[in-house]
Amino acid sequence: QVQLVESGGGLVQAGGSLRLSCAASGRTFSDYAMGWFRQAPGKEREFVAAISWSGGTYYADSVKGRFTTSRDNAKSTVFLQMNSLKPEDTAVYYCARGQFRTIVPGRDVSRYDYWGQGTQVTVSS
């Protein structure tokens, strides 16, 4: 069983920054892609960013240039650095485990099997 625990959410003013962390249990963390998704009230869960097992990163157009994802395999942790935050970034953010040693992580929720509980990010204008 894999457990994912997000932290780092909160309330920030527009233009500010937050850094989300996602700590994973399990001994094979480094072999899997990891993804970040978000869900705003009344909207579907959407792809934000992903990092492959080899370190390749992928971003939604809406966050490209503002968000950066990274991973520390020694600590089984993935990060999402969010800069220049906008009110439209307000959502619950989830991390999720992707596929085993895939070159390009998927952007669809169906490509991810384990999910964290989510952390709220609120950006005020």
Side-chain angles (χ1 to χ4, degrees), residues 2-124:
V2 174
Q3 290 188 323
L4 303 175
V5 179
E6 300 102 334
S7 60
L11 173 64
V12 64
Q13 289 188 331
S17 299
L18 284 173
R19 188 190 195 207
L20 306 183
S21 300
C22 172
S25 64
R27 293 177 293 177
T28 59
F29 172 82
S30 61
D31 290 326
Y32 289 85
M34 296 296 296
W36 289 95
F37 290 76
R38 66 187 180 187
Q39 188 166 19
K43 295 188 176 181
E44 292 188 353
R45 193 167 298 190
E46 65 174 1
F47 172 80
V48 175
I51 184 166
S52 72
W53 72 280
S54 58
T57 55
Y58 306 84
Y59 300 95
D61 288 343
S62 59
V63 307
K64 199 171 294 183
R66 301 188 296 123
F67 291 11
T68 302
T69 189
S70 60
R71 64 191 301 158
D72 183 341
N73 289 332
K75 297 182 178 180
S76 297
T77 301
V78 63
F79 304 98
L80 184 68
Q81 177 67 44
M82 305 185 295
N83 299 328
S84 302
L85 282 161
K86 305 175 181 180
E88 52 263 44
D89 294 319
T90 295
V92 177
Y93 283 70
Y94 300 89
C95 68
R97 193 185 76 168
Q99 294 180 312
F100 179 81
R101 293 200 173 189
T102 184
I103 296 175
V104 180
R107 295 173 181 245
D108 191 85
V109 296
S110 65
R111 302 287 291 273
Y112 295 80
D113 54 2
Y114 290 96
W115 294 79
Q117 82 288 352
T119 185
Q120 176 71 45
V121 171
T122 303
V123 185
S124 63

